[in-house]
Each structure stands twice: as structure tokens, then as C-alpha cells.
Amino acid sequence: MIAIENVRLFYEIQEKSRQLELASQHKSQFLASMSHELRTPLNAIIGLTEMMCTNAARFGTEKAQEPLRRVNAAGTHLLGLINQVLDLSKIEAGKLELNPQSLQLAPLIDDVVDTARQLAGQNKNRLVVETQENLGALTVDPMRLRQILLNLFSNACKFTKQGQVTLRACRVLADGRDWIDLAVADTGIGMTAEQQAKLFQDFTQADSLTARRYGGTGLGLAISRKLARIMGGDVTVASEAGKGSVFTVRLPVGLEKSAAV
């Protein structure tokens, strides 16, 4: 009788697990399909407030300019959060499509660094770029690579104050293949081994105190690693508490799409 009861419980647990997995898939598919419906009205709000701020004098709304700027900033922040959740849902639902292109890496790095300088300036950080000469071409989805790098820059600049954030780029040979390494190093607060162990989990930050002090959803790094793995690479971290962190994106020179996320 005990054996029969154990078998029954085993199959019951299996069925519950199947139902939970199916529900999770439906949730991801629903959010992935809602991308347009969620982004469109928010983009309209952002665009309208930008226009009203720019033309405040002509509209006679000078007094409303500062509140409008706050609405615009809040809308832009909310759009960023929505984009992260939708990206995660697309990855989970298997609906994320890559658009690989063969491109020269140096101009893409210059473009990302120009944007990152604004992030660095917010906490009075110095931004340094160290790139190997003749990095050459890379087959990659440029939008997704920019997203990964800006996530890493945003993270580094947020946890570093009046310090230095450095981007290092080089070609390496490993496991008989050619790779590009893009490392973002900072002189910020760093992390313990325990904090690093859960760093790439969805909706998880290093610890609750860090989450309260610095904010964020805990999705940026998780999505960055998932995107890198889909493109056949990875994102890794080396860090020490109080001595900063180094996040390294390693991607194959020729894009090889991977299902491992």
C-alpha cells in the first residue's frame, strides 16, 4: 500500500509540475505578444511630453515645463522597465529573434562609449577605453550587443562614485576558436562570493540592502547573460568586496546561435 501511495504521489507531483510549466509558458507568450500594446501608448506619452517641454513658450505652458519633464523622465524609466520584462518574456517564450550582421567592432564601441559617458558623469566617474588595435569584424546582432554593454556600463556607473569605469576590448583564442572579449571594469563597491552566486538570477540583486539603496529590477544582468548565451557566448564576473568588479562579455567572432540560456 505504501508503494502504491508513493507512486500516486509521484505522478501527482509530475502533473502539478507540468501544469506549472505550462502556465509559465502561457504567461511568457502573453507578455511577448503584448509588446506592441504596452510600448505604443507609453511612447506616445513620452513623445508628447517632450514636444510640450520643447515648445513650452509657444504653448504658454512655461509653468508646467518642470512637471512635464518629471512626467517624461518617469515615462522613460517605466518604458525601460517594460522593455526588460518583455525581453525576458520573449527569451522564455523562445520568440526572441536575432538580426546578425557582420560589422566592424570599433565604431560600435565608440557609439556605446558616447552614451556611457553620460552614465559615468552622473556619479562623477572617469571613463577609460582600452581597445586592442585592429579588432576587426564581428558577426553579431548590434542592437543586442549595445544593450548588453549599456547594461554593464549602467551597472558599473551606478555602483561606483568618483571612481573609474574602464572598457577593455580584445580578440582572444580559446578552445580552438576566435572570440571577442569586452570587459567593463569598475572601482566601485564590489561583491562577496555569496552575492556573485545569485547575481544573474531573474529579479534578483546582490542583497536586499543593495536593492533598497541603489534601486533597479535585478533584470539587467540576467537578460545580458541570456542574450550573450543566445549569441553563443557568455557574461562572467570577477569581483571582490570593496575593490570593484569586472564583467566580461565573450562572444564568438562568427555568430553561432545557442539555445543555452
Side-chain angles (χ1 to χ4, degrees):
M1 290 295 292
I2 293 176
I4 294 174
E5 180 66 13
N6 285 341
V7 170
R8 186 188 67 79
L9 288 172
F10 173 76
Y11 283 112
E12 186 175 311
I13 291 170
Q14 271 197 327
E15 177 60 20
K16 292 292 183 184
S17 298
R18 188 191 66 80
Q19 291 175 4
L20 287 171
E21 184 178 354
L22 189 60
S24 178
Q25 289 176 355
H26 287 162
K27 177 266 298 178
S28 297
Q29 290 169 359
F30 169 74
L31 285 174
S33 67
M34 286 292 290
S35 171
H36 178 75
E37 286 73 10
L38 289 170
R39 286 189 176 110
T40 299
L42 194 50
N43 276 318
I45 292 170
I46 293 170
L48 182 60
T49 52
E50 281 180 353
M51 183 186 70
M52 294 180 72
C53 285
T54 302
N55 299 284
R58 188 158 58 121
F59 292 152
T61 56
E62 293 95 332
K63 291 182 179 179
Q65 193 169 39
E66 186 54 35
L68 285 169
R69 284 198 180 113
R70 290 201 296 270
V71 171
N72 183 262
T76 302
H77 179 67
L78 180 57
L79 181 61
L81 299 180
I82 288 174
N83 284 339
Q84 286 187 331
V85 172
L86 292 175
D87 276 344
L88 180 63
S89 298
K90 283 184 178 181
I91 292 169
E92 289 179 345
K95 291 188 175 182
L96 186 77
E97 295 183 1
L98 297 178
N99 295 296
Q101 301 173 27
S102 180
L103 49 84
Q104 292 296 313
L105 188 57
L108 185 145
I109 290 176
D110 290 341
D111 179 51
V112 171
V113 168
D114 283 343
T115 303
R117 290 193 191 282
Q118 300 175 10
L119 297 171
Q122 291 172 5
N123 279 339
K124 299 180 180 178
N125 292 310
R126 190 163 69 101
L127 185 59
V128 176
V129 181
E130 301 173 357
T131 59
Q132 176 184 315
E133 290 186 11
N134 303 318
L135 282 171
L138 174 70
T139 301
V140 71
D141 184 324
M143 184 185 77
R144 296 303 179 181
L145 179 53
R146 284 190 184 94
Q147 181 179 353
I148 292 170
L149 289 176
L150 286 174
N151 272 335
L152 298 187
F153 269 120
S154 177
N155 195 67
C157 293
K158 180 167 65 173
F159 295 110
T160 307
K161 291 187 177 180
Q162 298 180 354
Q164 180 170 303
V165 176
T166 304
L167 172 66
R168 302 187 184 101
C170 63
R171 295 175 73 102
V172 296
L173 180 64
D175 302 321
R177 297 178 60 192
D178 288 324
W179 303 83
I180 291 289
D181 274 9
L182 298 160
V184 177
D186 65 66
T187 58
I189 62 175
M191 291 172 287
T192 65
E194 182 182 1
Q195 289 172 326
Q196 293 176 57
K198 55 186 179 182
L199 191 62
F200 293 100
Q201 297 174 16
D202 300 342
F203 300 104
T204 301
Q205 291 196 332
D207 54 46
S208 58
L209 179 61
T210 300
R212 287 196 301 272
R213 183 175 178 185
Y214 294 96
T217 60
L219 275 178
L221 291 176
I223 290 173
S224 295
R225 171 173 273 185
K226 291 177 190 293
L227 289 173
R229 288 182 173 180
I230 289 172
M231 292 190 288
D234 203 357
V235 177
T236 56
V237 62
S239 184
E240 186 176 345
K243 295 187 177 180
S245 304
V246 182
F247 286 88
T248 302
V249 187
R250 172 167 288 185
L251 293 171
V253 171
L255 178 64
E256 291 189 11
K257 187 174 178 180
S258 171
V261 294

